[in-house]
Amino acid sequence: AQKVTQAQTEISVVEKEDVTLDCVYETRDTTYYLFWYKQPPSGELVFLIRRNSFDEQNEISGRYSWNFQKSTSSFNFTITASQVVDSAVYFCALVGGSNYKLTFGKGTLLTVNP
Amino acid sequence: NAGVTQTPKFRILKIGQSMTLQCAQDMNHNYMYWYRQDPGMGLKLIYYSVGAGITDKGEVPNGYNVSRSTTEDFPLRLELAAPSQTSVYFCASSPGTVNYGYTFGSGTRLTVV
């Protein structure tokens, strides 16, 4: 069975603060993929990143960075110098083995205040 | 290239009514999925299909039916709408290789009153 836990239900920060969104996963598969999606107030799902289980390198994309640690089954997401436009619900998701079915966490609502 | 198209975007149903949520993709993807999103609960898989003529239940299939007669279309049927089916529904597709990711539709917001 697969499970994704996003323990932070809501986070509120002031603009320009750094913020980290936590994601912990469970899977018995040795090959799996982890994803982060952003859902802005408009409602669509925006793909942010995909990481496979064999690639533990951290990744940075502009103000976004991701820390993947297999030892703690975590795939955390950090936004540096947050902006109001970062306000959204962020989902972590997992697909394991060859079943191709995405399992989502419950999401974290991030509010960035001016 | 339209990607995944869902219709309608919004719908209000009365209890007991039936309706079909439409989903179409033009990327020749084999895999298609229906998810529902409830506040604070993330997205849960309702049904999925690995190809035309093949469908299977996901985590929350009760109250829904699907069919997959073509590669392009994957409609979701609600036979007797209940208030518990008030939700946002997302359709998605993938080529069956995770490296190519998943494409989501823009969602259908359904309210059952």
Side-chain angles (χ1 to χ4, degrees):
Chain A
Q2 300 176 157
K3 185 177 180 181
V4 176
T5 301
Q6 295 179 256
Q8 304 150 309
T9 304
E10 296 186 33
I11 300 175
S12 182
V13 299
V14 177
E15 207 170 16
K16 298 185 182 177
E17 283 186 31
D18 298 346
V19 57
T20 295
L21 309 182
D22 297 333
C23 174
V24 174
Y25 63 91
E26 297 176 27
T27 180
R28 296 177 184 171
D29 295 300
T30 55
T31 301
Y32 54 89
Y33 291 78
L34 294 160
F35 298 75
W36 275 95
Y37 287 88
K38 174 183 180 180
Q39 186 177 46
S42 52
E44 74 272 23
L45 287 164
V46 178
F47 167 78
L48 295 178
I49 191 172
R50 175 182 60 247
R51 173 70 69 213
N52 74 56
S53 53
F54 298 108
D55 183 1
E56 289 192 71
Q57 285 189 342
N58 292 331
E59 181 154 340
I60 298 174
S61 176
R63 296 183 297 106
Y64 295 171
S65 62
W66 291 268
N67 183 294
F68 177 30
Q69 292 195 340
K70 288 178 73 172
S71 61
T72 57
S73 297
S74 64
F75 186 43
N76 296 336
F77 173 31
T78 296
I79 302 174
T80 302
S82 60
Q83 299 177 1
V84 172
V85 293
D86 296 326
S87 296
V89 179
Y90 290 86
F91 292 101
C92 182
L94 163 73
V95 60
S98 59
N99 67 41
Y100 304 124
K101 295 178 287 183
L102 271 176
T103 298
F104 285 84
K106 293 183 177 181
T108 298
L109 172 62
L110 173 65
T111 302
V112 182
N113 298 297
Chain B
N1 191 347
V4 176
T5 302
Q6 289 184 239
T7 56
K9 292 190 182 301
F10 303 94
R11 183 72 185 269
I12 298 175
L13 275 183
K14 293 185 178 180
I15 294 172
Q17 286 185 324
S18 301
M19 78 162 294
T20 299
L21 280 66
Q22 301 292 345
C23 176
Q25 53 94 4
D26 60 0
M27 298 167 285
N28 201 33
H29 285 174
N30 289 323
Y31 287 65
M32 296 188 74
Y33 316 82
W34 274 106
Y35 288 88
R36 61 175 287 171
Q37 180 184 10
D38 300 308
M41 298 302 294
L43 281 76
K44 295 191 174 182
L45 184 65
I46 305 171
Y47 271 96
Y48 67 101
S49 168
V50 301
I54 306 171
T55 62
D56 206 350
K57 297 177 180 179
E59 186 180 357
V60 289
N62 291 343
Y64 306 95
N65 279 301
V66 294
S67 59
R68 184 97 180 269
S69 57
T70 66
T71 299
E72 294 77 20
D73 300 300
F74 190 40
L76 178 71
R77 179 83 177 163
L78 284 71
E79 291 293 349
L80 292 171
S84 61
Q85 293 176 306
T86 294
S87 189
V88 179
Y89 292 84
F90 286 97
C91 180
S93 72
S94 70
T97 301
V98 179
N99 272 336
Y100 291 95
Y102 298 78
T103 303
F104 283 85
S106 57
T108 295
R109 184 175 295 274
L110 176 67
T111 303
V112 182
V113 297

